[in-house]
Amino acid sequence: MGDAVTGDDARRIRPGNRKDFGVAAGLLAASMADDPATRWLHPKESTRRTRLTRAFRTSLDDSRDCSDGVDLALDGTGSIVGVAVWLATFHVLPRATMGRQLKALHTYGSQAARARTGARATYAAGVQEQHWHLLAVGVAAAARGRGHGRDLVAAGMYRAAADGVPVHLETTNPSNLSFYERLGFETTGVIDLPGGGPRRWLMRQVPQPIPNHPRGRRPRDT
């Protein structure tokens, strides 16, 4: 997706690469620190930000390797002020190797089993169809209210439209529902995560097809 400009506030979305991921993971961790699912999976406040940054770094690596699905929002100075992480279910997804299991244990600590149970419950309730999946989206606190979040989600919707597939996401923050509904998402299911976890809303959106759009992977740097 190219530059998006509104009034005097120039906004740009570009693909993310590994050199961006340290900043991107920290930004996502800061923006999601108070999310109900985050507080459930990382109840210890003193380690929450560190563990969350670790988890998002893994998600960023997976998204880039499998789907080229990392989008960054830049402000007028070129600084990263927003991040969206996407996975395409019709690409080859990462396998649950021993190394990945150890990494998950390092990330979630004593809550690793809780994370696995929550993921399984969400997967079982979801629609099993090929789609682009929005894993996470976050905008720096100082840059909110300027349309960066909307532009990030729209970039992924554009990509899904080019591939002719719907978009799925989950949220445990009820205040997010109206934001996604304005973008055309509908709630397809509601679950309460096991073990006293928060309520999670499953949402789906079908982008309009883009005629004669070239499909394939986006160019990127290493």
Side-chain angles (χ1 to χ4, degrees):
M1 188 172 181
D3 292 358
V5 180
T6 303
D8 296 328
D9 181 21
R11 301 191 302 275
R12 185 160 63 93
I13 306 296
R14 72 163 172 85
N17 298 294
R18 291 199 196 281
K19 66 181 186 301
D20 306 309
F21 288 179
V23 172
L27 189 155
L28 286 168
S31 66
M32 301 286 285
D34 291 326
D35 184 84
T38 296
R39 298 175 69 89
W40 180 62
L41 289 171
H42 305 283
K44 193 173 181 180
E45 189 171 359
S46 61
T47 60
R48 182 181 302 150
R49 189 73 63 89
T50 299
R51 290 184 180 278
L52 196 56
T53 300
R54 220 176 270 152
F56 280 126
R57 180 58 198 252
T58 298
S59 295
L60 288 160
D61 286 335
D62 289 345
S63 175
R64 179 191 183 278
D65 290 344
C66 302
S67 309
D68 285 345
V70 179
D71 293 318
L72 305 177
L74 309 180
D75 65 10
T77 70
S79 298
I80 298 171
V81 294
V83 186
V85 188
W86 302 81
L87 278 177
T89 62
F90 45 91
H91 291 170
V92 178
L93 300 183
R95 298 178 62 189
T97 61
M98 181 63 71
R100 291 184 59 80
Q101 293 176 29
L102 290 173
K103 186 181 290 186
L105 183 61
H106 184 53
T107 297
Y108 294 102
S110 61
Q111 305 303 320
R114 176 177 286 186
R116 287 194 301 270
T117 301
R120 288 170 184 158
T122 302
Y123 182 82
V127 177
Q128 307 305 315
E129 63 178 347
Q130 292 187 346
H131 64 277
W132 274 95
H133 200 100
L134 178 57
L135 295 179
V137 59
V139 175
R144 291 173 189 165
R146 302 177 188 173
H148 296 295
R150 182 188 65 241
D151 288 351
L152 285 165
V153 178
M157 290 164 54
Y158 185 88
R159 195 158 53 242
D163 284 332
V165 298
V167 177
H168 284 263
L169 62 87
E170 296 98 28
T171 182
T172 53
N173 190 340
S175 64
N176 290 339
L177 296 175
S178 59
F179 168 77
Y180 289 119
E181 287 168 351
R182 287 194 296 270
L183 290 170
F185 284 83
E186 297 181 351
T187 298
T188 59
V190 181
I191 61 173
D192 291 317
L193 294 177
R199 177 157 293 181
R200 176 168 282 175
W201 286 263
L202 284 64
M203 306 190 80
R204 179 180 187 266
Q205 196 266 357
V206 181
Q208 293 298 311
I210 301 175
N212 303 319
H213 188 278
R215 298 170 70 163
R217 298 169 75 87
R218 300 181 295 171
R220 66 182 182 190
D221 299 326
T222 57

